[in-house]
Amino acid sequence: MKRIYVSEKWCLGCHLCEYYCAFANSGSDDMAKALMNRRINPRIQVEERSGISFAVSCRHCEEPLCVKSCITGALSSEGGLITIDKNRCVACHTCVLACPYGTIMPSDDGMMQKCELCLKNAIGEPACVKYCPNRAIIYEDSAAPAAAAQ
Amino acid sequence: MKTKQYLIIGNSAAAIGCVEGIRQLDKTGAVTIVSREAHHTYSRPLISYLLSGKTDRQRMRYRDADFYETYGVAPLLGRTALSLDPAQKTIALDDGQTLPYDKLLVATGSVPFVPPMEGLDLVSKKFTFLSLDDADALAAAVTADSRVLIVGAGLIGLKCAEGLSGQAGSLTVVDLAPQILPSVLDEGAAALVQAHIERQGVRFLLSISAARFENGAAHLTDGSTVPFDVLVLAVGVRPSVSLAREAGAAVGRGLITDEYMRTNLPGVYAAGDCTESFDITSGERKPLALLPNAYLQGETAGLHMAGGGKPFCTAMPMNAVGFWGLHIVSAGSYAGDAYIKCEGEHYRKLVCRDNLLQGFILIGDVLRAGIYTALIRDRVPIDTIDFELIKDKPGLIAFSRRDRQKKLGVKPA
Ligand SMILES: Cc1cc2nc3c(=O)[nH]c(=O)nc-3n(C[C@H](O)[C@H](O)[C@H](O)COP(=O)(O)OP(=O)(O)OC[C@H]3O[C@@H](n4cnc5c(N)ncnc54)[C@H](O)[C@@H]3O)c2cc1C
Ligand code: SF4
Ligand code: SF4
């Protein structure tokens, strides 16, 4: 399955991925309207400290502990894509407690949201990858990692 | 070749994990589920959300309506297994049927523990709170002016209180322990959560127990009397082991299994609340009545029944729960050196011992807690990461560059 990989060597710490993520999942076609004057809740988040930065989003684990731990069945795997049915989530945070990467987080309404590789929204391909100005985020088949991000 | 006969007693988290485990490897074997409860598989923790109207019968299904069809499972719902014959490899049901198996999973879950209490048989409106049927019965008994007395300030008792909040006249919780949630929280965290719950109108009577009941009143050990209309008994749960024990299965504090979830009876596995687990953080064998543990054990059993899989050896207590909007997550055990930070309704405690994170409690700000859980689960030596950096805010930045790259980057060519 194609997954997102990040390289801290190329990450500029510009946070553009966060804005494009929030926009891609806003359902709006006007970036300014979707993001202006709002606290955004992106599904990819940049960690940074003293010159190091890198973006973190769901790894779409082969052994997804979030799915196996979810107490309601809201999380599931669709052929390797780990998705959430927000309608069944009760915000118990069990998945937050289970995810080793800290990549499942509450959305604006408190229920959980996570990266679904933009396969469920209108963009259809990961917006963070598409708009990263320095190609620090790539989208590749894990079986054949061509470009070493080192 | 003869089709393999898989038989599962139970229809909850452990049972579903088993089905999903079996089907990863065996698409054709015959899988049968027998369950006493006459319901499609549902999320047991959601019964309190059902009471409060935050979910409904459709949404509380643990798996989609077509689950049994999709996974090729024959469900026998509303049927109780009465006995197990390990020599003949059969189980007997309450309708007289005998079912054969090649591989059997016992996933019978928990039973409510009700200690003997004088006069309890005189109380007409008394309930336990473990099943969908319990929730339905309780909902039918409680009216807008019912005085509800809940015995037990553990997870189930407090979830029941939250579910009934705003629907009953008054809610009182009594517990013998000096603090609420004794198996999950330390004293400091418990006091904070208690104050939060009290602000929602729930009254607590702690370090007290009921000495005697009459219909409509509890006489407490401090000499006081609490009148009530509805009584909920939420003292605790015990592994449901009798069926397997009578067949000769070894029992400690729950059914004893190896790390593939095999019992001592050939072809018989056990998973979920009915078993005892080895807690990697305390080194104790004990029941862990928690849904993620039940699923993971069930899946491990299913994979092994189908001829594959790997051992499950990372069990530990893990709780995530919210009460009236206040989030609490915790994991592991709390013996060791503690880092504690407390600000308003935010509480943070991290416990280290032997150069390992052993446990934590977070209240309020619980974001990315799984990074801590992984440190415990993976037994990551604290001195190999920048632990100071993530005491207040978990992050992958604490790991070495190499480890971060392993976690997030493409494998170096
Ligand atoms: C109110 C409440 C809130 C909870 N909240 C949480 C929470 O927030 N987080 C968490 O991790 N856990 C929570 N739990 C615990 C969680 O529900 C259990 O750990 C989990 O359901 C265990 O799953 P299981 O498959 O082992 O057994 P159970 O869910 O107990 O299921 C047992 C199954 O066996 C069947 N059965 C039993 N005996 C027989 C028999 N003789 N013949 C046929 N069928 C039989 C029953 O019908 C049932 O289907 C909560 C529990 C309750 C009651
Ligand atoms: S949310 Fe976390 S546990 Fe779940 S698939 Fe993504 S990275 Fe893995
Ligand atoms: S917070 Fe939602 S998605 Fe996460 S475990 Fe709870 S119900 Fe499942």
Side-chain angles (χ1 to χ4, degrees), chain A residues 69 71 92 94, chain B residues 9-16 34-38 42-48 79-82 93 107-111 129-131 155-156 159-160 237 240 243 271-274 288-295 318-321:
Chain A
S69 302
I71 66 162
C92 69
T94 306
Chain B
I9 309 175
N11 184 28
S12 189
I16 300 304
V34 177
S35 177
R36 175 187 293 141
E37 293 176 89
Y42 67 93
S43 165
R44 191 167 303 286
L46 287 195
I47 60 173
S48 66
R79 288 271 85 90
T80 300
L82 297 181
L93 303 189
T108 45
S110 298
V111 284
F129 193 60
L130 230 60
S131 66
L155 184 83
I156 293 177
K159 270 290 165 194
C160 180
V237 296
S240 169
L243 180 83
D273 282 15
C274 61
L288 292 175
L290 298 166
L291 196 139
N293 195 59
Y295 181 92
M318 258 178 78
N319 269 287
V321 66

Short mmCIF file of all heavy atoms in Angstrom, two decimals, chain A residues 69 71 92 94, chain B residues 9-16 34-38 42-48 79-82 93 107-111 129-131 155-156 159-160 237 240 243 271-274 288-295 318-321, ligand 1:
data_model
loop_
_atom_site.label_atom_id
_atom_site.label_comp_id
_atom_site.label_asym_id
_atom_site.label_seq_id
_atom_site.Cartn_x
_atom_site.Cartn_y
_atom_site.Cartn_z
N SER A 69 -8.25 -1.45 19.24
CA SER A 69 -8.60 -0.99 20.57
C SER A 69 -9.92 -0.24 20.61
O SER A 69 -10.49 -0.07 21.69
CB SER A 69 -7.52 -0.04 21.10
OG SER A 69 -6.27 -0.68 21.13
N ILE A 71 -13.37 0.99 21.09
CA ILE A 71 -14.40 0.30 21.86
C ILE A 71 -15.74 0.26 21.14
O ILE A 71 -16.65 -0.45 21.56
CB ILE A 71 -14.58 0.92 23.27
CG1 ILE A 71 -15.14 2.34 23.16
CG2 ILE A 71 -13.29 0.90 24.06
CD1 ILE A 71 -15.74 2.84 24.47
N CYS A 92 -14.08 8.53 23.47
CA CYS A 92 -13.57 7.93 24.71
C CYS A 92 -12.05 8.06 24.82
O CYS A 92 -11.49 7.91 25.88
CB CYS A 92 -13.97 6.46 24.78
SG CYS A 92 -13.12 5.42 23.58
N THR A 94 -9.77 6.03 23.70
CA THR A 94 -9.02 4.78 23.79
C THR A 94 -8.00 4.68 22.66
O THR A 94 -6.86 4.22 22.85
CB THR A 94 -9.96 3.56 23.78
OG1 THR A 94 -10.93 3.73 24.81
CG2 THR A 94 -9.20 2.26 24.01
N ILE B 9 -17.65 -19.42 22.03
CA ILE B 9 -18.70 -19.12 23.02
C ILE B 9 -18.50 -17.67 23.44
O ILE B 9 -17.51 -17.32 24.08
CB ILE B 9 -18.63 -20.04 24.25
CG1 ILE B 9 -18.59 -21.51 23.83
CG2 ILE B 9 -19.82 -19.79 25.18
CD1 ILE B 9 -18.41 -22.49 24.99
N GLY B 10 -19.45 -16.81 23.07
CA GLY B 10 -19.32 -15.38 23.31
C GLY B 10 -19.48 -14.64 21.99
O GLY B 10 -19.23 -15.20 20.92
N ASN B 11 -19.89 -13.38 22.09
CA ASN B 11 -20.21 -12.60 20.88
C ASN B 11 -19.82 -11.15 21.10
O ASN B 11 -20.49 -10.24 20.64
CB ASN B 11 -21.72 -12.72 20.62
CG ASN B 11 -22.15 -12.03 19.35
OD1 ASN B 11 -21.37 -11.91 18.41
ND2 ASN B 11 -23.38 -11.56 19.34
N SER B 12 -18.73 -10.96 21.86
CA SER B 12 -18.33 -9.59 22.17
C SER B 12 -16.90 -9.37 21.67
O SER B 12 -16.47 -10.04 20.73
CB SER B 12 -18.49 -9.39 23.68
OG SER B 12 -18.32 -8.05 24.04
N ALA B 13 -16.18 -8.45 22.29
CA ALA B 13 -14.87 -8.05 21.75
C ALA B 13 -13.92 -9.23 21.48
O ALA B 13 -13.32 -9.33 20.41
CB ALA B 13 -14.22 -7.07 22.70
N ALA B 14 -13.79 -10.14 22.45
CA ALA B 14 -12.85 -11.25 22.29
C ALA B 14 -13.30 -12.18 21.15
O ALA B 14 -12.49 -12.64 20.35
CB ALA B 14 -12.72 -12.03 23.59
N ALA B 15 -14.60 -12.42 21.09
CA ALA B 15 -15.15 -13.30 20.06
C ALA B 15 -14.96 -12.70 18.67
O ALA B 15 -14.53 -13.38 17.73
CB ALA B 15 -16.63 -13.55 20.33
N ILE B 16 -15.23 -11.42 18.53
CA ILE B 16 -15.09 -10.75 17.23
C ILE B 16 -13.61 -10.71 16.82
O ILE B 16 -13.27 -10.95 15.67
CB ILE B 16 -15.69 -9.32 17.27
CG1 ILE B 16 -17.18 -9.38 17.63
CG2 ILE B 16 -15.47 -8.59 15.94
CD1 ILE B 16 -18.05 -10.24 16.74
N VAL B 34 -21.78 -18.84 19.55
CA VAL B 34 -22.91 -19.11 20.44
C VAL B 34 -22.92 -18.01 21.49
O VAL B 34 -21.90 -17.73 22.10
CB VAL B 34 -22.75 -20.46 21.17
CG1 VAL B 34 -23.89 -20.68 22.15
CG2 VAL B 34 -22.66 -21.60 20.18
N SER B 35 -24.05 -17.34 21.67
CA SER B 35 -24.10 -16.30 22.69
C SER B 35 -25.42 -16.28 23.43
O SER B 35 -26.48 -16.36 22.84
CB SER B 35 -23.86 -14.92 22.05
OG SER B 35 -23.98 -13.92 23.05
N ARG B 36 -25.30 -16.16 24.72
CA ARG B 36 -26.47 -16.12 25.58
C ARG B 36 -27.33 -14.89 25.25
O ARG B 36 -28.56 -14.97 25.23
CB ARG B 36 -26.03 -16.06 27.04
CG ARG B 36 -27.17 -15.89 28.02
CD ARG B 36 -26.65 -15.67 29.43
NE ARG B 36 -25.99 -16.85 29.94
CZ ARG B 36 -24.89 -16.85 30.67
NH1 ARG B 36 -24.31 -15.72 30.98
NH2 ARG B 36 -24.36 -17.98 31.11
N GLU B 37 -26.67 -13.77 25.03
CA GLU B 37 -27.41 -12.54 24.74
C GLU B 37 -27.96 -12.61 23.32
O GLU B 37 -27.23 -12.90 22.38
CB GLU B 37 -26.49 -11.33 24.87
CG GLU B 37 -26.03 -11.08 26.30
CD GLU B 37 -25.03 -9.93 26.37
OE1 GLU B 37 -25.48 -8.79 26.53
OE2 GLU B 37 -23.82 -10.19 26.24
N ALA B 38 -29.24 -12.29 23.17
CA ALA B 38 -29.90 -12.44 21.87
C ALA B 38 -29.72 -11.20 21.00
O ALA B 38 -30.65 -10.78 20.32
CB ALA B 38 -31.38 -12.74 22.08
N TYR B 42 -22.52 -6.05 20.12
CA TYR B 42 -22.63 -4.62 20.44
C TYR B 42 -21.49 -4.21 21.35
O TYR B 42 -20.84 -5.04 21.98
CB TYR B 42 -23.99 -4.30 21.09
CG TYR B 42 -24.19 -4.91 22.46
CD1 TYR B 42 -23.87 -4.20 23.63
CD2 TYR B 42 -24.71 -6.20 22.60
CE1 TYR B 42 -24.05 -4.77 24.89
CE2 TYR B 42 -24.89 -6.76 23.85
CZ TYR B 42 -24.56 -6.04 24.99
OH TYR B 42 -24.73 -6.60 26.24
N SER B 43 -21.25 -2.91 21.40
CA SER B 43 -20.19 -2.38 22.24
C SER B 43 -20.71 -2.24 23.67
O SER B 43 -21.54 -1.38 23.95
CB SER B 43 -19.75 -1.02 21.70
OG SER B 43 -19.00 -0.34 22.69
N ARG B 44 -20.20 -3.11 24.54
CA ARG B 44 -20.68 -3.13 25.93
C ARG B 44 -20.49 -1.77 26.62
O ARG B 44 -21.38 -1.31 27.32
CB ARG B 44 -19.96 -4.25 26.67
CG ARG B 44 -20.49 -4.61 28.02
CD ARG B 44 -19.91 -5.93 28.52
NE ARG B 44 -20.13 -7.04 27.62
CZ ARG B 44 -21.30 -7.65 27.47
NH1 ARG B 44 -22.35 -7.29 28.17
NH2 ARG B 44 -21.42 -8.65 26.61
N PRO B 45 -19.33 -1.11 26.44
CA PRO B 45 -19.17 0.19 27.12
C PRO B 45 -20.22 1.24 26.71
O PRO B 45 -20.37 2.24 27.39
CB PRO B 45 -17.77 0.65 26.68
CG PRO B 45 -17.05 -0.61 26.35
CD PRO B 45 -18.09 -1.53 25.77
N LEU B 46 -20.93 0.99 25.62
CA LEU B 46 -21.88 2.00 25.18
C LEU B 46 -23.23 1.93 25.89
O LEU B 46 -24.11 2.75 25.62
CB LEU B 46 -22.09 1.92 23.67
CG LEU B 46 -20.93 2.42 22.81
CD1 LEU B 46 -21.37 2.62 21.37
CD2 LEU B 46 -20.36 3.72 23.35
N ILE B 47 -23.39 0.98 26.80
CA ILE B 47 -24.72 0.91 27.44
C ILE B 47 -25.03 2.16 28.25
O ILE B 47 -26.18 2.55 28.35
CB ILE B 47 -24.91 -0.38 28.30
CG1 ILE B 47 -23.89 -0.47 29.43
CG2 ILE B 47 -24.87 -1.63 27.42
CD1 ILE B 47 -24.16 -1.63 30.40
N SER B 48 -24.00 2.85 28.77
CA SER B 48 -24.30 4.09 29.50
C SER B 48 -24.65 5.22 28.53
O SER B 48 -25.44 6.10 28.86
CB SER B 48 -23.12 4.48 30.40
OG SER B 48 -22.00 4.83 29.63
N ARG B 79 -28.62 -18.36 22.80
CA ARG B 79 -28.38 -19.75 23.21
C ARG B 79 -27.26 -19.79 24.23
O ARG B 79 -26.22 -19.16 24.05
CB ARG B 79 -27.93 -20.60 22.01
CG ARG B 79 -29.01 -20.92 20.98
CD ARG B 79 -29.73 -22.23 21.36
NE ARG B 79 -30.79 -21.99 22.30
CZ ARG B 79 -32.05 -21.71 21.97
NH1 ARG B 79 -32.41 -21.65 20.72
NH2 ARG B 79 -32.96 -21.51 22.90
N THR B 80 -27.45 -20.52 25.29
CA THR B 80 -26.43 -20.62 26.34
C THR B 80 -25.72 -21.97 26.24
O THR B 80 -26.37 -23.00 26.07
CB THR B 80 -27.09 -20.47 27.72
OG1 THR B 80 -27.71 -19.19 27.78
CG2 THR B 80 -26.08 -20.60 28.85
N ALA B 81 -24.39 -21.93 26.37
CA ALA B 81 -23.63 -23.18 26.45
C ALA B 81 -23.69 -23.66 27.89
O ALA B 81 -23.35 -22.91 28.81
CB ALA B 81 -22.19 -22.93 26.02
N LEU B 82 -24.14 -24.90 28.09
CA LEU B 82 -24.30 -25.41 29.45
C LEU B 82 -23.10 -26.22 29.91
O LEU B 82 -22.74 -26.19 31.08
CB LEU B 82 -25.56 -26.29 29.55
CG LEU B 82 -26.90 -25.60 29.29
CD1 LEU B 82 -28.04 -26.59 29.44
CD2 LEU B 82 -27.09 -24.41 30.24
N LEU B 93 -25.80 -27.22 24.42
CA LEU B 93 -26.55 -25.97 24.54
C LEU B 93 -27.85 -26.17 25.32
O LEU B 93 -28.33 -27.29 25.50
CB LEU B 93 -26.89 -25.41 23.16
CG LEU B 93 -25.73 -25.14 22.21
CD1 LEU B 93 -26.24 -24.39 20.98
CD2 LEU B 93 -24.64 -24.34 22.90
N ALA B 107 -14.99 -17.32 25.32
CA ALA B 107 -14.92 -15.86 25.45
C ALA B 107 -16.16 -15.38 26.19
O ALA B 107 -16.94 -14.57 25.71
CB ALA B 107 -14.81 -15.20 24.07
N THR B 108 -16.32 -15.96 27.38
CA THR B 108 -17.56 -15.77 28.13
C THR B 108 -17.58 -14.50 28.97
O THR B 108 -18.58 -14.22 29.63
CB THR B 108 -17.81 -17.00 29.05
OG1 THR B 108 -16.57 -17.33 29.70
CG2 THR B 108 -18.25 -18.20 28.23
N GLY B 109 -16.49 -13.75 28.97
CA GLY B 109 -16.52 -12.42 29.58
C GLY B 109 -16.59 -12.41 31.09
O GLY B 109 -16.01 -13.26 31.77
N SER B 110 -17.28 -11.41 31.61
CA SER B 110 -17.36 -11.19 33.05
C SER B 110 -18.77 -11.48 33.56
O SER B 110 -19.73 -11.40 32.82
CB SER B 110 -17.11 -9.71 33.37
OG SER B 110 -15.84 -9.31 32.98
N VAL B 111 -18.83 -11.76 34.83
CA VAL B 111 -20.12 -11.77 35.52
C VAL B 111 -20.06 -10.73 36.63
O VAL B 111 -19.00 -10.49 37.20
CB VAL B 111 -20.48 -13.16 36.12
CG1 VAL B 111 -20.93 -14.09 35.02
CG2 VAL B 111 -19.30 -13.75 36.88
N PHE B 129 -25.22 -3.61 36.03
CA PHE B 129 -25.07 -2.75 34.84
C PHE B 129 -23.93 -3.27 33.98
O PHE B 129 -22.86 -2.70 33.94
CB PHE B 129 -24.82 -1.31 35.30
CG PHE B 129 -24.97 -0.30 34.19
CD1 PHE B 129 -26.18 -0.15 33.52
CD2 PHE B 129 -23.91 0.51 33.81
CE1 PHE B 129 -26.33 0.77 32.50
CE2 PHE B 129 -24.05 1.45 32.79
CZ PHE B 129 -25.26 1.57 32.13
N LEU B 130 -24.24 -4.36 33.28
CA LEU B 130 -23.20 -5.01 32.50
C LEU B 130 -23.61 -5.26 31.06
O LEU B 130 -22.77 -5.44 30.19
CB LEU B 130 -22.86 -6.35 33.16
CG LEU B 130 -21.39 -6.63 33.40
CD1 LEU B 130 -20.81 -5.57 34.32
CD2 LEU B 130 -21.22 -8.01 34.02
N SER B 131 -24.91 -5.30 30.83
CA SER B 131 -25.37 -5.72 29.50
C SER B 131 -26.43 -4.78 28.96
O SER B 131 -27.01 -3.98 29.70
CB SER B 131 -25.92 -7.14 29.58
OG SER B 131 -27.09 -7.13 30.36
N LEU B 155 -15.40 2.18 37.55
CA LEU B 155 -15.73 2.61 36.20
C LEU B 155 -17.20 2.37 35.86
O LEU B 155 -17.90 3.25 35.33
CB LEU B 155 -14.83 1.85 35.23
CG LEU B 155 -14.96 2.21 33.77
CD1 LEU B 155 -14.11 3.43 33.47
CD2 LEU B 155 -14.53 1.06 32.88
N ILE B 156 -17.70 1.19 36.18
CA ILE B 156 -19.07 0.84 35.77
C ILE B 156 -20.10 1.64 36.56
O ILE B 156 -21.05 2.18 35.99
CB ILE B 156 -19.29 -0.69 35.91
CG1 ILE B 156 -18.40 -1.42 34.88
CG2 ILE B 156 -20.75 -1.06 35.72
CD1 ILE B 156 -18.46 -2.93 34.95
N LYS B 159 -19.96 5.25 35.27
CA LYS B 159 -20.53 5.35 33.92
C LYS B 159 -22.06 5.25 33.99
O LYS B 159 -22.78 5.93 33.26
CB LYS B 159 -19.96 4.24 33.03
CG LYS B 159 -18.70 4.68 32.30
CD LYS B 159 -19.07 5.73 31.24
CE LYS B 159 -17.91 6.49 30.71
NZ LYS B 159 -18.31 7.70 29.95
N CYS B 160 -22.54 4.44 34.91
CA CYS B 160 -23.98 4.32 35.10
C CYS B 160 -24.55 5.64 35.60
O CYS B 160 -25.59 6.12 35.12
CB CYS B 160 -24.27 3.18 36.08
SG CYS B 160 -26.01 2.93 36.38
N VAL B 237 -16.63 -6.87 38.83
CA VAL B 237 -16.89 -8.01 37.96
C VAL B 237 -15.87 -9.10 38.23
O VAL B 237 -14.78 -8.83 38.74
CB VAL B 237 -16.86 -7.62 36.46
CG1 VAL B 237 -17.97 -6.64 36.13
CG2 VAL B 237 -15.50 -7.06 36.04
N SER B 240 -15.86 -14.91 34.09
CA SER B 240 -16.86 -15.95 34.00
C SER B 240 -16.17 -17.25 33.58
O SER B 240 -15.89 -17.47 32.41
CB SER B 240 -17.91 -15.53 32.96
OG SER B 240 -18.76 -16.59 32.66
N LEU B 243 -18.02 -22.58 33.26
CA LEU B 243 -18.17 -23.56 32.17
C LEU B 243 -16.85 -24.29 31.89
O LEU B 243 -16.79 -25.52 31.85
CB LEU B 243 -18.64 -22.82 30.91
CG LEU B 243 -18.87 -23.65 29.67
CD1 LEU B 243 -20.25 -24.28 29.71
CD2 LEU B 243 -18.74 -22.78 28.43
N ALA B 271 -10.13 -16.19 25.84
CA ALA B 271 -9.71 -14.79 25.62
C ALA B 271 -10.70 -13.84 26.24
O ALA B 271 -11.88 -14.16 26.40
CB ALA B 271 -9.59 -14.53 24.12
N GLY B 272 -10.19 -12.66 26.59
CA GLY B 272 -11.05 -11.59 27.09
C GLY B 272 -11.18 -11.59 28.60
O GLY B 272 -10.32 -12.12 29.33
N ASP B 273 -12.28 -11.00 29.06
CA ASP B 273 -12.50 -10.80 30.49
C ASP B 273 -12.48 -12.09 31.32
O ASP B 273 -12.28 -12.03 32.52
CB ASP B 273 -13.87 -10.14 30.72
CG ASP B 273 -13.85 -8.64 30.45
OD1 ASP B 273 -12.89 -8.15 29.81
OD2 ASP B 273 -14.81 -7.95 30.88
N CYS B 274 -12.71 -13.24 30.69
CA CYS B 274 -12.77 -14.49 31.45
C CYS B 274 -11.38 -15.01 31.81
O CYS B 274 -11.25 -15.95 32.58
CB CYS B 274 -13.58 -15.55 30.71
SG CYS B 274 -12.91 -16.01 29.10
N LEU B 288 -7.76 -8.50 33.40
CA LEU B 288 -7.78 -7.12 32.91
C LEU B 288 -9.09 -6.98 32.13
O LEU B 288 -9.15 -7.34 30.97
CB LEU B 288 -6.60 -6.85 31.97
CG LEU B 288 -5.20 -6.84 32.57
CD1 LEU B 288 -4.15 -6.68 31.46
CD2 LEU B 288 -5.04 -5.74 33.59
N ALA B 289 -10.12 -6.51 32.81
CA ALA B 289 -11.43 -6.46 32.17
C ALA B 289 -11.53 -5.22 31.29
O ALA B 289 -12.18 -4.24 31.63
CB ALA B 289 -12.53 -6.48 33.22
N LEU B 290 -10.82 -5.27 30.15
CA LEU B 290 -10.74 -4.11 29.27
C LEU B 290 -10.91 -4.55 27.83
O LEU B 290 -10.39 -5.58 27.41
CB LEU B 290 -9.36 -3.44 29.42
CG LEU B 290 -9.10 -2.90 30.82
CD1 LEU B 290 -7.62 -2.58 30.99
CD2 LEU B 290 -9.96 -1.67 31.09
N LEU B 291 -11.61 -3.72 27.09
CA LEU B 291 -11.98 -4.12 25.75
C LEU B 291 -10.79 -4.31 24.80
O LEU B 291 -10.74 -5.31 24.09
CB LEU B 291 -13.00 -3.12 25.19
CG LEU B 291 -13.72 -3.63 23.96
CD1 LEU B 291 -15.18 -3.27 24.01
CD2 LEU B 291 -13.08 -3.13 22.70
N PRO B 292 -9.82 -3.39 24.74
CA PRO B 292 -8.70 -3.61 23.81
C PRO B 292 -7.96 -4.91 24.10
O PRO B 292 -7.57 -5.64 23.19
CB PRO B 292 -7.78 -2.41 24.06
CG PRO B 292 -8.66 -1.35 24.62
CD PRO B 292 -9.71 -2.08 25.42
N ASN B 293 -7.81 -5.23 25.38
CA ASN B 293 -7.15 -6.46 25.77
C ASN B 293 -7.95 -7.68 25.27
O ASN B 293 -7.39 -8.64 24.76
CB ASN B 293 -7.03 -6.49 27.30
CG ASN B 293 -6.06 -7.53 27.79
OD1 ASN B 293 -4.89 -7.48 27.42
ND2 ASN B 293 -6.54 -8.46 28.57
N ALA B 294 -9.26 -7.59 25.42
CA ALA B 294 -10.13 -8.70 24.97
C ALA B 294 -10.00 -8.90 23.47
O ALA B 294 -9.85 -10.03 22.99
CB ALA B 294 -11.59 -8.41 25.35
N TYR B 295 -10.01 -7.81 22.71
CA TYR B 295 -9.90 -7.94 21.25
C TYR B 295 -8.56 -8.57 20.86
O TYR B 295 -8.50 -9.50 20.07
CB TYR B 295 -10.07 -6.58 20.55
CG TYR B 295 -9.97 -6.76 19.04
CD1 TYR B 295 -11.12 -6.97 18.29
CD2 TYR B 295 -8.74 -6.79 18.40
CE1 TYR B 295 -11.03 -7.21 16.92
CE2 TYR B 295 -8.64 -7.03 17.04
CZ TYR B 295 -9.78 -7.23 16.30
OH TYR B 295 -9.69 -7.48 14.96
N MET B 318 -5.01 -0.51 30.77
CA MET B 318 -5.09 0.65 29.87
C MET B 318 -6.51 1.17 29.93
O MET B 318 -7.43 0.47 29.54
CB MET B 318 -4.85 0.19 28.43
CG MET B 318 -3.48 0.48 27.89
SD MET B 318 -3.34 -0.18 26.22
CE MET B 318 -4.20 1.06 25.28
N ASN B 319 -6.69 2.37 30.43
CA ASN B 319 -8.04 2.91 30.53
C ASN B 319 -8.15 4.25 29.86
O ASN B 319 -7.31 5.12 30.05
CB ASN B 319 -8.41 3.11 32.00
CG ASN B 319 -9.08 1.90 32.59
OD1 ASN B 319 -10.24 1.62 32.27
ND2 ASN B 319 -8.35 1.16 33.40
N ALA B 320 -9.20 4.44 29.09
CA ALA B 320 -9.52 5.76 28.56
C ALA B 320 -11.00 5.95 28.81
O ALA B 320 -11.81 5.12 28.42
CB ALA B 320 -9.22 5.84 27.08
N VAL B 321 -11.32 7.02 29.48
CA VAL B 321 -12.73 7.22 29.81
C VAL B 321 -12.98 8.70 30.04
O VAL B 321 -12.09 9.45 30.45
CB VAL B 321 -13.09 6.36 31.05
CG1 VAL B 321 -12.37 6.83 32.29
CG2 VAL B 321 -14.59 6.32 31.30
C1 LIG C 1 -20.74 -0.18 31.64
C2 LIG C 1 -19.42 -0.68 31.15
C3 LIG C 1 -18.49 0.22 30.66
C4 LIG C 1 -17.26 -0.23 30.19
N1 LIG C 1 -16.39 0.70 29.71
C5 LIG C 1 -15.20 0.29 29.21
C6 LIG C 1 -14.30 1.22 28.66
O1 LIG C 1 -14.56 2.42 28.58
N2 LIG C 1 -13.12 0.77 28.16
C7 LIG C 1 -12.79 -0.55 28.20
O2 LIG C 1 -11.71 -0.92 27.75
N3 LIG C 1 -13.63 -1.47 28.72
C8 LIG C 1 -14.82 -1.08 29.23
N4 LIG C 1 -15.67 -2.02 29.77
C9 LIG C 1 -15.25 -3.42 29.79
C10 LIG C 1 -15.49 -4.11 28.45
O3 LIG C 1 -16.83 -4.00 28.11
C11 LIG C 1 -15.07 -5.57 28.53
O4 LIG C 1 -13.70 -5.64 28.85
C12 LIG C 1 -15.28 -6.30 27.21
O5 LIG C 1 -16.62 -6.25 26.81
C13 LIG C 1 -14.83 -7.75 27.34
O6 LIG C 1 -15.14 -8.46 26.20
P1 LIG C 1 -15.28 -10.04 26.22
O7 LIG C 1 -15.47 -10.43 24.81
O8 LIG C 1 -14.17 -10.65 26.97
O9 LIG C 1 -16.56 -10.40 27.09
P2 LIG C 1 -18.07 -9.75 27.29
O10 LIG C 1 -18.12 -8.45 26.62
O11 LIG C 1 -18.30 -9.83 28.73
O12 LIG C 1 -18.95 -10.78 26.51
C14 LIG C 1 -19.18 -12.10 26.95
C15 LIG C 1 -20.00 -12.83 25.92
O13 LIG C 1 -20.17 -14.19 26.28
C16 LIG C 1 -21.51 -14.57 26.19
N5 LIG C 1 -21.67 -15.68 27.14
C17 LIG C 1 -21.23 -15.75 28.43
N6 LIG C 1 -21.48 -16.97 28.96
C18 LIG C 1 -22.08 -17.70 27.99
C19 LIG C 1 -22.56 -19.05 27.90
N7 LIG C 1 -22.46 -19.91 28.93
N8 LIG C 1 -23.12 -19.45 26.74
C20 LIG C 1 -23.22 -18.61 25.69
N9 LIG C 1 -22.77 -17.34 25.72
C21 LIG C 1 -22.20 -16.89 26.85
C22 LIG C 1 -22.30 -13.32 26.43
O14 LIG C 1 -23.58 -13.38 25.84
C23 LIG C 1 -21.40 -12.27 25.73
O15 LIG C 1 -21.67 -12.22 24.35
C24 LIG C 1 -16.93 -1.60 30.24
C25 LIG C 1 -17.86 -2.51 30.73
C26 LIG C 1 -19.09 -2.07 31.18
C27 LIG C 1 -20.07 -3.08 31.69
#
